[in-house]
Amino acid sequence: MTFTSYQFFLFLPTALLIYFLIPGKLRTLWLVMTSFAFIWYFNPKYLLVLLVSAGISYGTALILDQINGKPDREEDGKTAGGENKVQIYKKKKTVAAAGILSVIGILILFKYMDFLLENINQIFHLSGEQVIANPFSLIAPVGIAYYTLQVIGYIVDVYRGKIRAERNILCYLLYVAYFPKIISGPIERADAFLEQTHDCKNWKLWNWERISAGLTLMVWGYFQKLVIADRLAIFVEEIFKNYMQYGTIELVAGITLFFIQLYADFLGYMNIAQGVSNIMGFTLQENFNAPYFAKSVREYWSRWHISLSTWLKDYVYIPLGGNRKGLLRKNSNLVLTFLVSGLWHGASWSFLFWGGIHGIYQIGEHWLEPVADRVNEKLHTRTESFGYKLMQVTKMWVLNILAMIFFKCATARDAIAYIGRIFSKWDPWVIFDGSLYTFGVDEKYFKVVVLSVILFFIVDWMKYKRGERIDSWLSRQCIWFRWGFLMMLILACVVFGAYGPAYDAGNFIYFQFN
């Protein structure tokens, strides 16, 4: 039941209507039930896996909270239970490690076992040993990659004493299973979201400004998904499916449009999830902040998939030592963190290459930044000029697009072959002979997509410059403009999304990273 399915358009109004009508004390229970039903629709077994991970993390946190609550010192440096601080620390560490390794083990079993056995088999094959058969062939449950990171973060936060363990099992289950974010995030932090689960019983739900803001975000999200991302997907999939038949221009167009498609698709999902949550009174964290206007690698990762980037920083990079143990260790930690990011996205070497490339980008930028500053100083470069900033943004697009080839291709070998054809099969004539309109999107619809992409980036530019989302901006406009703009988006979704050529409301791209 994806956000673009007909089933969801029946499920959501029903869930919202009952949520608005029931007493406040029943809201958490109702949202847990609707979230379970949402997951159950995909596969009842997926719900069972989620409950196991939630149960392990819930119990682990309660034990950690009990250990944290023991007195720090008594006579002879011992607690009331006769344990000293070292013993308590070891016990905490053991309990936290057991809980974290258990939920990671579940994730590995469902998402990475095939990948691990495949590579072990290759090693055995080279050494002439018998190949291990794969007895699992399991499909990753919906949302497992997202809620696993959430429960790990929760365990660590309780271990560190940052938060207390959640006693209310319904509130905790809602934190793990909340249906707007279960498919593709954002990866919420426990302290912020759990507070909302406790407060929701007291909210005044019938607030038109909040509801209209949520509906606006949903409409904008569907426009990004159906009119931009799904239209571009037709072109992109044709290019990547038969990339060995095409030359430089088609291949560059394919990966550039995928770069735009990925952002429109993921941001579209986030806007729909945030919109649904706004209607119900919940606030999900911002996951994107105009990343395609970033002028450096560091800035890009502070704006792209923010919930994942900050999670990796807090729970991988810093525990590894961060930048506290010398330059070599810092660089190693950076690369390792981005390798984890790549592996989180998918169980394949191409994702590992993508993550590693971004880690190298970070290191290279750190080394080259002082050199660029000295060159600009000697040449008296106007670094505040529009031209210089445009050059920096263009540089980031080129770097990201090159890395994105590994992200999109099924294997690292395909990615290398794709890059090789870009530099060896020059065919500029296809720009003028109409060949670009033969990939499933004809000239008329291609122009519609181009205009939609321009609108998309105008709205993103507004957020980059003013820090203002489209719902906030529209709320300040006159009623005629506001409703006219929304009606235009809805009409575009219906005409160009639902009834355009080769229509297929595909799953959101980041859904596949479960």
Side-chain angles (χ1 to χ4, degrees):
M1 191 195 306
T2 62
F3 288 172
T4 53
S5 67
Y6 296 117
Q7 294 88 341
F8 184 76
F9 292 129
L10 295 174
F11 166 85
L12 182 62
T14 305
L16 291 178
L17 180 62
I18 297 175
Y19 177 74
F20 271 73
L21 293 177
I22 60 177
K25 62 183 179 180
L26 297 178
R27 288 172 187 164
T28 301
L29 174 61
W30 174 245
L31 287 180
V32 170
M33 291 172 60
T34 55
S35 297
F36 283 1
F38 185 82
I39 299 167
W40 182 279
Y41 179 85
F42 287 97
N43 190 321
K45 295 178 182 177
Y46 295 171
L47 179 58
L48 178 61
V49 176
L50 180 143
L51 289 173
V52 171
S53 290
I56 291 171
S57 55
Y58 179 78
T60 301
L62 287 178
I63 298 171
L64 288 172
D65 204 44
Q66 185 180 20
I67 298 172
N68 286 339
K70 291 183 178 180
D72 285 337
R73 62 189 178 193
E74 281 192 359
E75 293 182 4
D76 300 325
K78 293 186 177 181
T79 69
E83 297 172 306
N84 58 36
K85 289 183 178 181
V86 174
Q87 289 174 318
I88 291 175
Y89 171 73
K90 287 182 178 179
K91 183 182 289 187
K92 276 179 58 177
K93 197 170 183 179
T94 301
V95 171
I100 291 171
L101 290 175
S102 296
V103 294
I104 289 178
I106 294 172
L107 177 64
I108 291 173
L109 175 64
F110 283 96
K111 185 171 181 178
Y112 299 102
M113 188 56 69
D114 288 349
F115 176 66
L116 289 173
L117 290 179
E118 178 186 343
N119 284 277
I120 291 172
N121 285 340
Q122 289 183 358
I123 295 172
F124 280 178
H125 181 73
L126 291 174
S127 62
E129 299 290 335
Q130 186 177 357
V131 175
I132 299 176
N134 181 7
F136 299 104
S137 297
L138 299 173
I139 299 175
V142 60
I144 189 171
Y146 297 92
Y147 65 70
T148 298
L149 295 194
Q150 283 194 168
V151 300
I152 290 173
Y154 170 69
I155 292 172
V156 173
D157 286 348
V158 175
Y159 168 81
R160 291 172 176 172
K162 180 182 176 182
I163 61 173
R164 297 294 304 273
E166 177 57 55
R167 260 65 179 176
N168 189 318
I169 186 64
L170 286 177
C171 290
Y172 186 69
L173 287 174
L174 184 58
Y175 164 65
V176 177
Y178 183 57
F179 75 87
K181 66 177 177 61
I182 191 67
I183 295 178
S184 298
I187 303 163
E188 288 289 329
R189 298 300 177 92
D191 52 354
F193 195 86
L194 284 172
E195 184 179 354
Q196 296 182 76
T197 65
H198 287 283
D199 293 343
C200 70
K201 62 179 179 292
N202 301 317
W203 289 340
K204 179 183 177 182
L205 296 181
W206 299 97
N207 182 316
W208 173 243
E209 288 186 4
R210 194 195 69 248
I211 294 172
S212 64
L215 291 171
T216 298
L217 277 177
M218 289 183 68
V219 171
W220 180 239
Y222 279 113
F223 175 80
Q224 292 168 101
K225 167 63 177 171
L226 297 175
V227 180
I228 299 176
D230 283 357
R231 296 290 98 200
L232 292 178
I234 299 169
F235 185 101
V236 170
E237 292 307 315
E238 173 60 30
I239 293 291
F240 275 85
K241 185 167 60 176
N242 303 295
Y243 72 90
M244 291 302 292
Q245 300 177 17
Y246 304 122
T248 301
I249 301 302
E250 297 100 327
L251 298 180
V252 169
I255 190 58
T256 303
L257 293 181
F258 175 71
F259 187 54
I260 299 171
Q261 176 205 350
L262 179 69
Y263 183 34
D265 187 282
F266 201 4
L267 184 57
Y269 167 86
M270 286 298 155
N271 286 156
I272 297 169
Q274 288 175 318
V276 172
S277 296
N278 272 18
I279 293 171
M280 295 189 294
F282 284 82
T283 300
L284 297 181
Q285 64 173 297
E286 289 291 329
N287 217 10
F288 298 95
N289 186 15
Y292 284 15
F293 292 106
K295 298 184 288 292
S296 67
V297 176
R298 191 162 51 249
E299 183 187 0
Y300 172 80
W301 279 104
S302 70
R303 295 175 177 275
W304 172 267
H305 207 338
I306 298 169
S307 66
L308 176 63
S309 301
T310 54
W311 193 96
L312 290 169
K313 176 185 175 184
D314 293 342
Y315 301 109
V316 177
Y317 178 69
I318 291 177
L320 285 172
N323 57 3
R324 303 185 305 275
K325 299 186 178 181
L327 185 59
L328 179 61
R329 181 71 175 269
K330 173 190 172 183
N331 291 340
S332 300
N333 292 340
L334 271 173
V335 172
L336 184 57
T337 301
F338 276 97
L339 288 174
V340 171
S341 174
L343 192 60
W344 177 86
H345 280 84
S348 75
W349 287 103
S350 57
F351 284 117
L352 278 168
F353 274 107
W354 171 80
I357 289 169
H358 273 281
I360 293 170
Y361 283 169
Q362 291 266 8
I363 296 171
E365 183 174 85
H366 174 77
W367 281 98
L368 294 175
E369 212 170 44
V371 177
D373 290 342
R374 287 195 294 270
V375 171
N376 288 331
E377 185 179 353
K378 287 184 178 295
L379 297 177
H380 305 288
T381 305
R382 296 179 180 177
T383 55
E384 295 303 313
S385 66
F386 170 79
Y388 185 79
K389 292 178 180 178
L390 178 62
M391 183 182 69
Q392 288 181 302
V393 173
T394 303
K395 171 200 70 177
M396 283 309 306
W397 272 63
V398 172
L399 291 176
N400 268 301
I401 286 170
L402 283 173
M404 196 61 69
I405 295 173
F406 287 90
F407 190 95
K408 175 60 179 171
C409 287
T411 66
R413 182 177 298 176
D414 286 334
I416 294 169
Y418 193 102
I419 294 171
R421 288 192 68 83
I422 286 178
F423 290 101
S424 63
K425 300 295 179 181
W426 182 242
D427 57 346
W429 50 86
V430 301
I431 299 175
F432 310 102
D433 65 6
S435 297
L436 294 177
Y437 303 127
T438 62
F439 299 109
V441 181
D442 61 27
E443 184 174 0
K444 178 178 67 174
Y445 282 95
F446 201 90
K447 289 177 179 177
V448 170
V449 174
V450 170
L451 292 174
S452 300
V453 169
I454 291 172
L455 175 62
F456 173 56
F457 280 111
I458 288 174
V459 172
D460 225 36
W461 172 255
M462 188 166 57
K463 185 173 184 181
Y464 180 76
K465 297 299 288 185
R466 300 180 184 176
E468 187 175 35
R469 287 192 322 202
I470 189 171
D471 58 315
S472 175
W473 177 76
L474 274 179
S475 68
R476 296 188 290 102
Q477 309 308 313
C478 75
I479 189 170
W480 300 107
F481 179 86
R482 183 165 67 248
W483 283 102
F485 186 82
L486 290 174
M487 289 300 106
M488 179 193 72
L489 295 180
I490 293 172
L491 185 63
C493 289
V494 172
V495 175
F496 301 113
Y499 300 115
Y503 168 72
D504 177 22
N507 288 333
F508 291 87
I509 294 176
Y510 263 69
F511 182 26
Q512 67 182 282
F513 303 136
N514 285 323

